Amino acid sequence: MAELKPTKQPDHPKTHPLVVLPADEFIAGFVKFLRDHAIVGIAIGFTIGFQAQALVKQLNLSIFDPIFQLIFGTSITNNGNVVHIGSRVARFQWGGLLYALLDFAFVLLIVYLIVKVLKLDRFDKQIKKGEQHVHELKR
């Protein structure tokens, strides 16, 4: 039978499996990650969209809701119809739905105008042209 020999233990203590990069390498890698995945653009788009939604909501409350109050005699969100069938009653809140649709439409309009005025759509076209050039080089 073969004899088992003891294995030599390493002289250094066990290290954690997490690789620690020097600070400058870590920062460079992080910046590359942000650029490659367009994280900054996504964050900016999210922020602009969020603020545009807040702006449109205030626009609806300050301008359109008072106009609807003059026309219908009540706030747009309070408009609805009541249907009675026997002893059952159902209220259809079409005003709230109309308010949400106006809110959605105006948010889309504001984001579209921001993209066109700031010419943000050109960045996307430049990226696509660059990607196309890279694909052509690989062929």
Side-chain angles (χ1 to χ4, degrees):
M1 206 177 220
E3 239 181 76
L4 295 175
K5 294 180 181 179
T7 58
K8 185 178 176 188
Q9 296 292 336
D11 294 335
H12 58 80
K14 274 192 161 184
T15 59
H16 193 275
L18 178 66
V19 178
V20 179
L21 297 174
D24 57 340
E25 254 185 78
F26 176 77
I27 292 170
F30 185 68
V31 170
K32 183 180 181 316
F33 169 79
L34 293 178
R35 285 186 185 146
D36 290 348
H37 298 287
I39 301 297
V40 174
I42 291 169
I44 290 169
F46 181 78
T47 304
I48 289 172
F50 186 74
Q51 292 304 315
Q53 181 184 16
L55 174 70
V56 167
K57 187 173 220 162
Q58 191 59 47
L59 178 73
N60 280 339
L61 288 172
S62 300
I63 303 296
F64 296 112
D65 206 29
I67 292 171
F68 275 92
Q69 284 178 351
L70 289 173
I71 295 170
F72 295 110
T74 183
S75 173
I76 187 174
T77 56
N78 294 333
N79 282 314
N81 293 23
V82 178
V83 177
H84 298 275
I85 298 178
S87 63
R88 298 181 185 147
V89 177
R91 180 165 172 83
F92 293 91
Q93 298 281 88
W94 59 266
L97 178 61
L98 182 61
Y99 181 82
L101 287 172
L102 282 172
D103 194 38
F104 178 71
F106 283 123
V107 166
L108 287 179
L109 178 67
I110 296 293
V111 170
Y112 175 77
L113 290 174
I114 288 171
V115 167
K116 287 299 181 182
V117 167
L118 297 178
K119 298 177 182 169
L120 297 176
D121 55 339
R122 289 186 183 178
F123 288 118
D124 192 33
K125 289 177 186 172
Q126 289 173 356
I127 290 171
K128 287 180 183 176
K129 286 180 185 175
E131 287 175 357
Q132 183 179 5
H133 181 67
V134 169
H135 291 303
E136 289 173 1
L137 292 176
K138 287 182 180 179
R139 289 183 190 174

